[in-house]
Amino acid sequence: WTGSMLQRKPLQEEYPSSHWQCFQVKWDDGATDQLSPWDMEPLSQDEESSETIPDKLVFPMSMEDPMIAWEGEDEQKRILEGLEKIMETLEEAEMFLNPVDLEEEVVYCTVVPFPMDLSTIAERLRNGFYRRKLALIWDVVVMERNVTSYNEED
């Protein structure tokens, strides 16, 4: 799928810095959609060129791709059950269970722009926050990057 970005505007005004569905995209077939940055990528001129076409976007995979579309609510439920089991039993997960206490770690928010933890991911799974699997994967990657960047400061 290809389209053009019409505007960047927060989905909810009370969260002006949120990236969740902040881009309005008009697809080449005329339909519009609200997307998050992890839902799209720039379109290249051709396969051999790394040059991109200004304001032209592509949804990188088909919605039928198993990495994109959920295979029903059961899949999200199964992932949530697995995550909850990890949270309850895996000792290594303990430090990632809850948001960082900013009163204890006062510089955390100066190093980490998008805090993420396992309880937030679990809550998002419970509430159907993730429209695509890649959004869930994005949050896991963000959490890992946060750990790496914050601990580099030590």
Side-chain angles (χ1 to χ4, degrees), residues 32-114:
T32 60
D33 200 2
Q34 293 296 126
L35 297 177
S36 303
W38 50 86
D39 291 332
M40 57 193 172
E41 60 188 46
L43 181 64
S44 296
Q45 297 279 3
D46 56 53
E47 291 182 17
E48 296 176 10
S49 172
S50 61
E51 200 173 315
T52 60
I53 301 170
D55 300 324
K56 201 68 168 169
L57 304 168
V58 63
F59 189 76
M61 293 172 251
S62 162
M63 282 301 289
E64 287 75 37
D65 187 298
M67 285 301 294
I68 300 291
W70 291 106
E71 296 169 19
E73 289 182 27
D74 289 345
E75 184 179 25
Q76 291 182 55
K77 188 176 183 179
R78 182 179 51 81
I79 291 171
L80 176 60
E81 289 169 358
L83 179 58
E84 288 172 337
K85 190 171 189 175
I86 287 169
M87 292 169 67
E88 293 167 4
T89 61
L90 192 62
E91 188 177 316
E92 292 84 355
E94 189 174 324
M95 68 178 72
F96 307 106
L97 292 179
N98 298 300
V100 170
D101 182 347
L102 297 179
E103 289 183 15
E104 233 178 79
E105 301 291 333
V106 291
V107 297
Y108 187 79
C109 60
T110 65
V111 177
V112 173
F114 304 106

